[in-house]
Amino acid sequence: MSSKNDWRAPRGTHDILPQDESLWRYFYETVEWRASGFGFGRIETPLFEAPEVFTRALGETTDIVQKEMFEVRRATAEDSDETSSYILRPEGTAGVMRAYLENGMQVWPQPVKLWQYGPMFRADRPQKGRYRQFWYAGFEVIGDADPTTDAMAIFLGWQILGDLGVRDAVVVDINSIGDAVCRPKYKKALLEYYEPLKDKLCATCQTRLDKNPLRLLDCKEEDCEKLKKHAPQVVDFLCQNCREHFRIVLETLDELGVRYELTSTLIRGLDYYTRTTFEFRIEDDERRQGSVGGGGRYDGLLEQFGAKSTPAVGFAFGVDRVLELMQEKRAPVPPLPAPDIFVVQLGDRAKRASFNLIAQLTDEGFNVTIQPGKDSLKAQLRLADRGGVRFAVIIGQREALDGTAILRNMNENTQETVDQSDLVDLLKKRLAEPFEQRERRIAEEGEDVN
Ligand code: AMP
């Protein structure tokens, strides 16, 4: 049975409409330009993967794995596929690691730097800035243990936020959560602190205590927040190597002028992080939208896939949140180029000729538009006017037969008959012509005004 709701986008998803195209495109092009400038290659992985890719990488006790994964299976029963159930990717790093191994990237010159862009899916409770399908721009540097690489990743994000005009609104929260050498000692200290306070914790944290005490620092419940304040701090437990690593990361960020705050409770929701963790946080985040991006070092992740230990660091932007911030801060976004030319066709023969003409004009790099469903000259010219195009090319029956066209300057309401073969050169000249030059030409040559 169909109801009105069947025709709505699913909860937590939204359409991206043409009026927002300039914003989305500007984000993508900026990221593409910066990422390739920093030597990152573009990777695309499937939207869904085998469940193990995520359960192994993210950790069984994480919120994403326990509560937020969407399952994909074939709708019909006769599925003979061995893996009949998949997971819609909730984040990008796990899939990229799977692709790194599957495509033999271990033998490429290291580090391998990859970036990706696309939708992610989490069965989160939707609210402003939190969607079930959200866009994600992720960056990974695989095969490099150097602490300056962590700083480079953060700096890349910092640069992109600067390019997009929102860097002043953002600060980098940063922490080190140690490694396999020092983290167990910290976990033990956390357990010792929280055990006697167990009754005061929220229900979720009570279950987290045994499985993954670090996650207690992530909790936003009021009572847990209070207890967090006096909990042991991870920096006091870092081993010599982790401390040295963190020192160099921070020194490099200082030199690069990145604004950061040491945040000892930042452990992030995923199990795969080691040492550096960071988030790009909105500074005056009254609506508590959370971070516009985040990441960290994940030296142990590839081992989870059964590969040899490979150091890596990465981060991702939540694109929807960055764009919301850009809109809030009224960051300037270049408008999309308006169409240059409207092709007006009058009659069947002209319509067919005009399609060829459009192909030819777009080959030359012009932005062309047409409304083949409209037949009257007046209606088409009105549309051309509303669309803000500078020139209309009018083809009627006669023009279609003798290979000519009427070139109409929409701003000046002037027109001339030209050979179709001259049209491209003429349009190039006219569209490139600066204002003063055009005024001079008109003064010298006159213009056949209709
Ligand atoms: P995470 O993998 O959780 O660190 O996510 C990376 C970034 O994606 C975050 O910093 C957010 O900006 C964004 N993000 C995460 N979950 C959502 C969501 N449900 N809706 C919108 N953006 C999200």
Side-chain angles (χ1 to χ4, degrees):
M1 245 195 11
S2 76
S3 75
K4 212 170 156 195
N5 280 343
D6 293 344
W7 305 106
R8 286 175 186 272
R11 208 159 93 84
T13 70
H14 58 97
D15 303 308
I16 301 169
L17 301 176
Q19 58 262 40
D20 290 327
E21 193 190 342
S22 55
L23 187 65
W24 285 81
R25 201 196 282 205
Y26 183 50
F27 179 89
Y28 182 85
E29 286 174 357
T30 303
V31 168
E32 182 182 47
W33 167 68
R34 270 293 174 205
S36 66
F38 273 67
F40 284 70
R42 175 91 156 82
I43 184 165
E44 279 214 41
T45 62
L47 296 192
F48 55 91
E49 300 267 2
E52 296 71 35
V53 171
F54 303 113
T55 50
R56 285 231 194 131
L58 309 186
E60 297 279 356
T61 60
T62 55
D63 281 353
I64 292 186
V65 169
Q66 288 196 338
K67 302 192 287 216
E68 295 171 5
M69 296 203 301
F70 280 110
E71 191 180 358
V72 190
R73 52 173 69 241
R74 209 169 127 165
T76 47
E78 76 279 8
D79 193 354
S80 60
D81 209 349
E82 271 175 44
T83 316
S84 55
S85 154
Y86 299 94
I87 297 296
L88 276 180
R89 58 184 192 186
E91 61 86 61
T93 303
V96 170
M97 291 306 113
R98 196 261 316 127
Y100 175 87
L101 295 174
E102 187 172 338
N103 296 286
M105 295 187 210
Q106 301 103 309
V107 300
W108 294 10
Q110 306 289 304
V112 175
K113 291 190 260 170
L114 302 168
W115 78 282
Q116 63 175 324
Y117 177 87
M120 301 292 155
F121 306 86
R122 291 184 194 176
D124 246 341
R125 193 175 309 150
Q127 60 192 50
K128 171 112 179 119
R130 186 172 299 283
Y131 306 107
R132 291 187 161 180
Q133 174 174 336
F134 61 96
W135 264 258
Y136 175 107
F139 309 80
E140 322 287 350
V141 184
I142 311 158
D144 194 334
D146 198 275
T148 56
T149 310
D150 308 28
M152 182 199 70
I154 296 169
F155 184 59
L156 170 61
W158 188 246
Q159 283 294 309
I160 290 172
L161 292 171
D163 298 331
L164 297 172
V166 289
R167 188 160 66 194
D168 288 350
V170 173
V171 64
V172 179
D173 282 343
I174 190 165
N175 191 22
S176 172
I177 57 169
D179 63 6
V181 176
C182 50
R183 201 168 339 151
K185 283 185 209 131
Y186 178 57
K187 274 191 179 171
K188 192 160 161 264
L190 268 184
L191 263 175
E192 281 166 9
Y193 170 77
Y194 275 115
E195 270 298 348
L197 305 168
K198 194 167 177 176
D199 293 347
K200 298 194 175 128
L201 292 168
C202 73
T204 321
C205 280
Q206 292 194 7
T207 62
R208 281 173 177 160
L209 192 57
D210 302 323
K211 292 184 192 140
N212 191 350
L214 249 66
R215 296 293 319 281
L216 268 68
L217 302 174
D218 238 4
C219 187
K220 303 278 184 286
E221 294 288 329
E222 206 181 324
D223 288 343
C224 300
E225 288 260 22
K226 273 188 216 148
L227 296 177
K228 217 192 288 189
K229 288 201 181 109
H230 304 288
Q233 299 207 351
V234 63
V235 278
D236 298 329
F237 290 79
L238 295 181
C239 61
Q240 181 58 32
N241 288 343
C242 285
R243 211 175 306 145
E244 183 60 8
H245 186 101
F246 198 34
R247 184 185 65 76
I248 297 172
V249 175
L250 298 181
E251 270 181 19
T252 316
L253 291 179
D254 284 333
E255 265 174 47
L256 293 168
V258 175
R259 224 147 29 89
Y260 64 81
E261 269 175 27
L262 295 175
T263 312
S264 62
T265 52
L266 182 71
I267 59 118
R268 301 196 26 85
L270 310 176
D271 275 0
Y272 55 56
Y273 289 109
T274 49
R275 295 190 169 168
T276 318
T277 53
F278 57 91
E279 282 187 358
F280 297 97
R281 173 171 58 84
I282 303 174
E283 249 185 331
D284 299 317
D285 188 15
E286 278 158 20
R287 281 181 285 153
R288 292 177 67 105
Q289 282 182 46
S291 63
V292 292
R297 179 160 278 286
Y298 48 92
D299 292 348
L301 180 54
L302 276 158
E303 270 173 296
Q304 302 289 322
F305 286 89
K308 84 173 190 333
S309 163
T310 310
V313 59
F315 75 97
F317 282 126
V319 181
D320 309 73
R321 289 191 194 171
V322 177
L323 299 189
E324 280 162 16
L325 182 63
M326 287 170 69
Q327 283 177 314
E328 214 175 287
K329 299 291 170 199
R330 299 185 191 284
V333 173
L336 290 182
D340 310 306
I341 301 159
F342 192 108
V343 176
V344 175
Q345 40 67 37
L346 304 165
D348 282 345
R349 187 187 287 270
K351 203 176 279 189
R352 286 193 295 274
S354 65
F355 290 151
N356 274 325
L357 186 64
I358 289 181
Q360 216 184 323
L361 292 172
T362 46
D363 280 351
E364 296 291 334
F366 296 116
N367 262 335
V368 191
T369 178
I370 188 171
Q371 285 289 0
K374 295 266 184 281
D375 289 331
S376 92
L377 175 66
K378 207 165 142 203
Q380 292 181 69
L381 284 179
R382 198 180 314 126
L383 283 171
D385 202 34
R386 261 196 238 148
V389 302
R390 289 173 59 192
F391 287 92
V393 173
I394 304 166
I395 304 194
Q397 295 293 74
R398 202 183 70 206
E399 286 77 21
L401 273 174
D402 64 13
T404 57
I406 298 169
L407 179 60
R408 184 182 178 89
N409 184 324
M410 297 297 294
N411 295 337
E412 295 164 8
N413 285 331
T414 58
Q415 61 186 43
E416 58 195 309
T417 299
V418 301
D419 274 348
Q420 280 184 29
S421 54
D422 295 336
L423 205 51
V424 166
D425 284 343
L426 214 55
L427 278 165
K428 273 189 188 161
K429 224 165 76 189
R430 295 275 199 274
L431 282 165
E433 195 171 36
F435 186 75
E436 294 88 329
Q437 198 179 324
R438 182 171 54 81
E439 293 287 283
R440 219 176 308 127
R441 180 178 56 77
I442 293 172
E444 282 165 15
E445 297 172 10
E447 187 118 333
D448 51 338
V449 179
N450 283 318

